[in-house]
Amino acid sequence: MNILKQLEEEAIYIIREVAGQFNQPALLFSGGKDSIVLLHLCAKAFYPGKIPFPLLHIDTGHNFQETLNHRDYLVEKYNARLIIGLVQDSIDQGKVQEETGKFSSRNGLQTTTLLDTIEELKLDACIGGARRDEEKARAKERIFSVRDDFGQWNEKLQRPELFDILNGRIHTGENVRAFPISNWTELDVWEYIKQENLELPNIYFAHKREIYPREGQWMPRCEFHNIPEDVIQEKTVRFRTVGDMSCTAAVVSNASTVEEIIHEIKASAFSERGARMDDKRSEGAMEERKKVGYF
């Protein structure tokens, strides 16, 4: 628990640095476990005051309803301000084109909506829940990850962060992604959820759901993505990571409590990002998306 205390203190320090160094920050908030932990940390960082910046959700329109319901519940609980950017608006405006086919997803389309929303709101920093243990491209991120005036990321132009000194100085048009839980692991997140008794959407816990096999993964049945040859089955599953329904796979599991999930993670040989189909499009799928402005 001493490690969790150190991670919490580091995260709160980063969150306060964002609030102190930037004029228009926002918290990227999806209602998933990592953003829920971040929301809780933000509340701690500014207690007894309110969280001084808005929550921003880029909604693909293909999200799990359970997650959206929990998102709205937490916004009310923390008395926060929520701003929603809709991928459907970007599609309707002709800025992005809806994908088709067996592996179509709206996950990558979020980038355009995010960058447009950042420009519209004149945001200079977005706090995100990315962690270095998730994926190799994430491991290259700094705590303050600078994006150019086109929203693009270049790993060769990132700044050193020696002795926990965070440099938030940016040029006009640039913005920063800040990652307070960058040094956490999936296990740390769940241990912290247990310690703080945080509420999560029920899809993180074992439940019966209609699913179908695809490329070695179990995909949830949904109105957005099923094709006629899918063989629908009902199994007891849960989700380790939550995103667009069309690219988020379930894992077969009976873990119905936080304690059981922690035990399951300790025994697992696979990363939680292994359940994201969009990361499998190419060897460098995540890095390719990040370079054009992805979270």
PDB file of all heavy atoms in Angstrom, residues 51 102 108 114 125 208 223 228:
ATOM      1  N   ILE A  51     -13.515  20.419  -8.858  1.00  0.00           N
ATOM      2  CA  ILE A  51     -12.544  20.191  -9.920  1.00  0.00           C
ATOM      3  C   ILE A  51     -12.605  21.407 -10.845  1.00  0.00           C
ATOM      4  O   ILE A  51     -13.677  21.734 -11.375  1.00  0.00           O
ATOM      5  CB  ILE A  51     -12.858  18.894 -10.682  1.00  0.00           C
ATOM      6  CG1 ILE A  51     -12.766  17.693  -9.736  1.00  0.00           C
ATOM      7  CG2 ILE A  51     -11.911  18.720 -11.870  1.00  0.00           C
ATOM      8  CD1 ILE A  51     -13.239  16.386 -10.333  1.00  0.00           C
ATOM      9  N   LYS A 102     -15.622  -6.106 -42.184  1.00  0.00           N
ATOM     10  CA  LYS A 102     -15.577  -6.984 -41.021  1.00  0.00           C
ATOM     11  C   LYS A 102     -14.890  -6.347 -39.818  1.00  0.00           C
ATOM     12  O   LYS A 102     -15.281  -6.571 -38.679  1.00  0.00           O
ATOM     13  CB  LYS A 102     -14.854  -8.280 -41.407  1.00  0.00           C
ATOM     14  CG  LYS A 102     -14.854  -9.360 -40.337  1.00  0.00           C
ATOM     15  CD  LYS A 102     -14.216 -10.630 -40.879  1.00  0.00           C
ATOM     16  CE  LYS A 102     -14.245 -11.749 -39.846  1.00  0.00           C
ATOM     17  NZ  LYS A 102     -13.637 -12.989 -40.372  1.00  0.00           N
ATOM     18  N   GLY A 108     -10.763   4.894 -34.381  1.00  0.00           N
ATOM     19  CA  GLY A 108      -9.784   5.787 -34.971  1.00  0.00           C
ATOM     20  C   GLY A 108     -10.364   7.118 -35.404  1.00  0.00           C
ATOM     21  O   GLY A 108      -9.639   8.109 -35.525  1.00  0.00           O
ATOM     22  N   LEU A 114     -11.689  14.803 -31.574  1.00  0.00           N
ATOM     23  CA  LEU A 114     -10.910  15.327 -30.454  1.00  0.00           C
ATOM     24  C   LEU A 114     -10.176  16.601 -30.840  1.00  0.00           C
ATOM     25  O   LEU A 114     -10.247  17.613 -30.128  1.00  0.00           O
ATOM     26  CB  LEU A 114      -9.911  14.272 -29.972  1.00  0.00           C
ATOM     27  CG  LEU A 114      -8.905  14.739 -28.909  1.00  0.00           C
ATOM     28  CD1 LEU A 114      -9.625  15.133 -27.625  1.00  0.00           C
ATOM     29  CD2 LEU A 114      -7.854  13.668 -28.635  1.00  0.00           C
ATOM     30  N   ALA A 125      -4.287  21.812 -22.659  1.00  0.00           N
ATOM     31  CA  ALA A 125      -3.844  20.568 -22.028  1.00  0.00           C
ATOM     32  C   ALA A 125      -5.034  19.642 -21.845  1.00  0.00           C
ATOM     33  O   ALA A 125      -6.123  20.082 -21.467  1.00  0.00           O
ATOM     34  CB  ALA A 125      -3.178  20.845 -20.680  1.00  0.00           C
ATOM     35  N   LYS A 208     -23.235 -12.524 -17.898  1.00  0.00           N
ATOM     36  CA  LYS A 208     -23.568 -13.269 -19.106  1.00  0.00           C
ATOM     37  C   LYS A 208     -23.814 -12.291 -20.251  1.00  0.00           C
ATOM     38  O   LYS A 208     -24.502 -11.285 -20.080  1.00  0.00           O
ATOM     39  CB  LYS A 208     -24.790 -14.163 -18.880  1.00  0.00           C
ATOM     40  CG  LYS A 208     -24.510 -15.361 -17.984  1.00  0.00           C
ATOM     41  CD  LYS A 208     -25.652 -16.354 -17.999  1.00  0.00           C
ATOM     42  CE  LYS A 208     -25.347 -17.570 -17.140  1.00  0.00           C
ATOM     43  NZ  LYS A 208     -24.187 -18.311 -17.670  1.00  0.00           N
ATOM     44  N   GLU A 223     -25.473  -3.906 -32.280  1.00  0.00           N
ATOM     45  CA  GLU A 223     -26.179  -3.533 -33.505  1.00  0.00           C
ATOM     46  C   GLU A 223     -25.261  -2.891 -34.530  1.00  0.00           C
ATOM     47  O   GLU A 223     -25.610  -2.751 -35.690  1.00  0.00           O
ATOM     48  CB  GLU A 223     -27.314  -2.561 -33.171  1.00  0.00           C
ATOM     49  CG  GLU A 223     -26.825  -1.279 -32.523  1.00  0.00           C
ATOM     50  CD  GLU A 223     -27.970  -0.372 -32.105  1.00  0.00           C
ATOM     51  OE1 GLU A 223     -28.675   0.106 -33.019  1.00  0.00           O
ATOM     52  OE2 GLU A 223     -28.148  -0.152 -30.897  1.00  0.00           O
ATOM     53  N   PRO A 228     -23.673 -11.550 -40.852  1.00  0.00           N
ATOM     54  CA  PRO A 228     -24.526 -12.747 -40.864  1.00  0.00           C
ATOM     55  C   PRO A 228     -23.827 -14.039 -40.447  1.00  0.00           C
ATOM     56  O   PRO A 228     -24.439 -14.904 -39.822  1.00  0.00           O
ATOM     57  CB  PRO A 228     -24.989 -12.816 -42.323  1.00  0.00           C
ATOM     58  CG  PRO A 228     -24.955 -11.408 -42.791  1.00  0.00           C
ATOM     59  CD  PRO A 228     -23.783 -10.783 -42.103  1.00  0.00           C
TER      60      PRO A 228
END
